[in-house]
Amino acid sequence: MSAVSIKGVSKQFEAGVTALQGIDLDVEPGEFVSLIGPSGCGKSTLLRIIGDLTKPTAGTVQVNGKPADRARRDHEYGIVFQDAVLYDWRTVSKNISLPLELLHWNRSRRNARIKDMLELVELTGFESHHPWQLSGGMQQRVSIARALSFSPSLLLMDEPFGALDEMTRERLNAELLRIWQETGSTVVFVTHSISEAVFLSTRVVVMSVRPGQIAGLVDVDLEQPRTNATRESPRFFELVTQVREQLAAAGARLGETQEPALVEDQV
Amino acid sequence: MPKPTAIAQAFWDQKSALWSQGIYTFKEALGGYALGCSLGIFVALLFAAWRPLSSAFMPYAVAANAIPIIAFAPIMNNWFGLLNPFSKMAIAAVLCFFPVMINTLRGLTSVHPSSIELMQSYAAGRVSLFRRVRIPNALPHMFTGLKVATVLSMIGAIVGEYFGGPTEALGVKILNDSSYGNFTDAWAGIVMASLLGIVFYAVVALAERLTTSWHPSARAFHTE
Ligand SMILES: Nc1ncnc2c1ncn2[C@@H]1O[C@H](COP(=O)(O)OP(=O)(O)O)[C@@H](O)[C@H]1O
Ligand SMILES: [Mg+2]
């Protein structure tokens, strides 16, 4: 059973914008899949459709074998947005505790889990801080801890490190990979950074714009665990080039206004 | 205008009378404040929970707010009776209602869309969304309204008393002193009214500090 199964998904907004057209994608349990593409190609929309935060106008989405709305109600996934979306009135601990409260966990179970989560994202000692007392990178770690606190099998991330500086981003990339391996979860990760996509993923989904379609898939066969040395390996550069060329090709096809059928042949 | 020293002297000489008159008026203001603010918060919650209600009734709320309070005062005195403190409470309540309602509503509705999506991702219901996101988000805005309303409630009570009220009321005292040319005494009454207004404001501001100490604006209170 796939962790995520997307069949023939299209999304048209009322304004007449076709954000997505004919998306087919299966994500297997334990995979780390990145969606990459130019801004406006529908990455966020696709992620939100997987999370049942918006409905597709055509097609179906299943998460862990359940329809997306059922999966959401069953808390099958945790989500992380670009801005950490932490509540100012809650301390770090209380922010992590939010989904647990909604799941009616009792206090001692919540506290034990919060402690584990703080260790996981290396924020022990910051439990009673308020979000605005933390740096952007720390806020995003709280957001990841919150998304993982109730042990969902699927983690959806929409450009979680997009607003951070390069150094913080690389540190959090490494941390995310460690967490992914420790928890054994499946990750669908939106980014517009080619190197980030290649470094993190087991598979990169390249998307084209207007309408948003899948232009190609790149299997990332870099060995695990990935380290700073990975970023310097020749294979890493080959894969980065491959993704870049697919992105360029998708853009070029758009420029030549070729038949959409040709794009589908590539998939 | 009388000399400040003369006003201070008059204030000192009449302090016990001023105090009891002040408290009488303050009680009216407080009653109106409680009434107007609770109604304002309640209506804001209704409007936030049910948007069609807001679009249907907001124009009336805005129009009612535009009516000068001077126009309301004689009508309220007539409805409830000049000597009935409720007539002044009603005027104070009308003044307090709008700023509290509009600020609280803004706080309840100015929630970042991704905050709401986050709650949806947890399949949280409407009640949960209000309790855990909208209401805490509204608190700083609500207190802005509540602080403005403290001063407005004192103004409402005193303006109501200008249109008639019992002699134990501060507004009646200020009016009588002025009409007899005792401006020094009238000023002493005004000082009393201001002092009460300031204390009222300070108490609500303190309550704000205590309940919204998490707010980034309270940063100074978090020095470690
Ligand atoms: N709520 C909406 N209403 C109308 N159009 C939207 C809405 N959300 C997104 N879009 C449009 O859909 C397209 C894809 O948006 P999005 O998924 O945010 O792209 P990305 O995340 O890849 O930058 C864009 O053209 C955007 O303008
Ligand atoms: Mg996006």
Side-chain angles (χ1 to χ4, degrees):
Chain A
M1 185 181 65
S2 301
V4 180
S5 173
I6 302 169
K7 289 197 170 40
V9 160
S10 297
K11 174 70 179 183
Q12 209 155 3
F13 286 105
E14 290 80 15
V17 181
T18 304
L20 294 169
Q21 197 167 64
I23 303 285
D24 291 299
L25 182 68
D26 279 308
V27 179
E28 297 311 316
E31 266 198 285
F32 194 124
V33 169
S34 288
L35 308 177
I36 191 166
S39 144
C41 72
K43 304 181 292 294
S44 297
T45 305
L46 185 56
L47 201 75
R48 292 169 70 249
I49 287 175
I50 297 171
D52 188 46
L53 298 173
T54 186
K55 305 278 180 201
T57 31
T60 58
V61 174
Q62 293 206 316
V63 174
N64 294 338
K66 304 170 183 176
D69 59 335
R70 185 62 220 252
R72 178 175 63 91
R73 280 183 275 119
D74 286 352
H75 303 94
E76 296 282 348
Y77 75 86
I79 194 164
V80 177
F81 298 97
Q82 176 164 359
D83 42 342
V85 197
L86 301 174
Y87 298 141
D88 278 339
W89 49 89
R90 284 175 173 253
T91 59
V92 166
S93 287
K94 287 278 183 184
N95 268 288
I96 297 172
S97 155
L98 175 75
L100 308 180
E101 290 167 26
L102 293 165
L103 283 164
H104 305 293
W105 286 28
N106 67 37
R107 182 182 298 272
S108 63
R109 194 165 165 222
R110 287 204 308 261
N111 288 343
R113 178 54 63 89
I114 291 165
K115 193 167 165 289
D116 291 347
M117 285 296 130
L118 286 166
E119 272 169 29
L120 185 71
V121 299
E122 293 170 356
L123 278 176
T124 307
F126 290 93
E127 35 277 271
S128 51
H129 281 61
H130 282 272
W132 41 268
Q133 295 172 302
L134 305 178
S135 70
M138 290 161 94
Q139 291 182 10
Q140 208 50 281
R141 272 145 67 190
V142 176
S143 177
I144 292 169
R146 179 182 57 193
L148 291 171
S149 64
F150 54 103
S151 312
S153 60
L154 175 65
L155 187 57
L156 303 178
M157 308 182 86
D158 192 354
E159 300 193 32
F161 310 135
L164 305 176
D165 62 83
E166 190 71 23
M167 265 154 55
T168 310
R169 173 191 279 240
E170 287 192 1
R171 214 178 51 239
L172 286 182
N173 281 346
E175 202 165 323
L176 177 60
L177 281 181
R178 175 180 61 75
I179 290 169
W180 169 63
Q181 292 198 311
E182 277 178 31
T183 56
S185 46
T186 311
V187 181
V188 180
F189 187 94
V190 169
T191 180
H192 56 230
S193 159
I194 298 173
S195 60
E196 186 176 59
V198 171
F199 181 72
L200 291 174
S201 314
T202 54
R203 198 148 57 109
V204 177
V205 177
V206 178
M207 294 179 68
S208 62
V209 76
R210 267 180 294 270
Q213 286 178 322
I214 294 180
L217 303 170
V218 176
D219 279 314
V220 181
D221 49 11
L222 296 165
E223 68 181 37
Q224 306 281 2
R226 292 172 189 173
T227 60
N228 278 337
T230 310
R231 291 186 197 274
E232 289 153 16
S233 69
R235 185 63 189 146
F236 179 78
F237 287 110
E238 278 169 33
L239 288 161
V240 164
T241 307
Q242 213 174 316
V243 172
R244 181 175 291 126
E245 281 172 0
Q246 293 221 13
L247 278 167
R253 277 200 298 276
L254 180 79
E256 292 157 19
T257 60
Q258 284 178 334
E259 295 291 316
L262 271 182
V263 179
E264 252 144 30
D265 287 344
Q266 296 272 325
V267 173
Chain B
M1 190 178 146
K3 269 193 282 194
T5 48
I7 296 170
Q9 186 64 49
F11 186 87
W12 187 250
D13 291 344
Q14 303 171 32
K15 58 183 182 300
S16 65
L18 279 170
W19 176 249
S20 70
Q21 287 160 337
I23 288 300
Y24 182 93
T25 299
F26 181 70
K27 281 181 183 163
E28 294 173 341
L30 193 63
Y33 182 84
L35 198 69
C37 293
S38 16
L39 209 64
I41 292 167
F42 179 72
V43 169
L45 283 168
L46 273 186
F47 279 9
W50 208 46
R51 298 300 165 82
L53 200 71
S54 166
S55 24
F57 286 99
M58 189 55 98
Y60 297 103
V62 173
N65 182 53
I67 301 174
I69 198 62
I70 303 284
F72 268 126
I75 297 171
M76 294 297 169
N77 281 345
N78 185 272
W79 276 1
F80 297 103
L82 274 187
L83 301 183
N84 182 349
F86 198 77
S87 62
K88 316 302 182 282
M89 288 186 197
I91 298 159
V94 168
L95 270 184
C96 293
F97 170 80
F98 195 76
V100 172
M101 188 275 279
I102 212 78
N103 279 292
T104 308
L105 182 61
R106 177 167 304 144
L108 289 169
T109 53
S110 69
V111 174
H112 199 280
S114 36
S115 289
I116 294 172
E117 286 203 326
L118 182 76
M119 291 298 278
Q120 280 174 346
S121 82
Y122 300 136
R126 265 168 81 78
V127 174
S128 217
L129 183 65
F130 264 81
R131 190 156 84 84
R132 292 172 205 276
V133 181
R134 290 200 188 278
I135 292 174
N137 188 70
L139 284 181
H141 301 260
M142 184 187 80
F143 269 109
T144 304
L146 289 180
K147 284 190 290 185
V148 171
T150 55
V151 180
L152 289 177
S153 71
M154 280 302 284
I155 293 174
I158 289 173
V159 166
E161 289 165 359
Y162 283 173
F163 288 88
T167 44
E168 57 266 49
L170 191 60
V172 174
K173 175 218 153 52
I174 295 170
L175 185 73
N176 287 345
D177 285 340
S178 312
S179 51
Y180 292 120
N182 296 333
F183 292 111
T184 314
D185 290 353
W187 272 102
I190 292 168
V191 168
M192 190 70 207
S194 319
L195 285 178
L196 288 167
I198 290 165
V199 170
F200 194 4
Y201 184 96
V203 167
V204 174
L206 183 69
E208 176 186 30
R209 280 294 182 215
L210 296 177
T211 48
T212 64
S213 60
W214 49 262
H215 196 259
S217 74
R219 226 166 270 247
F221 284 71
H222 278 269
T223 45
E224 285 161 54

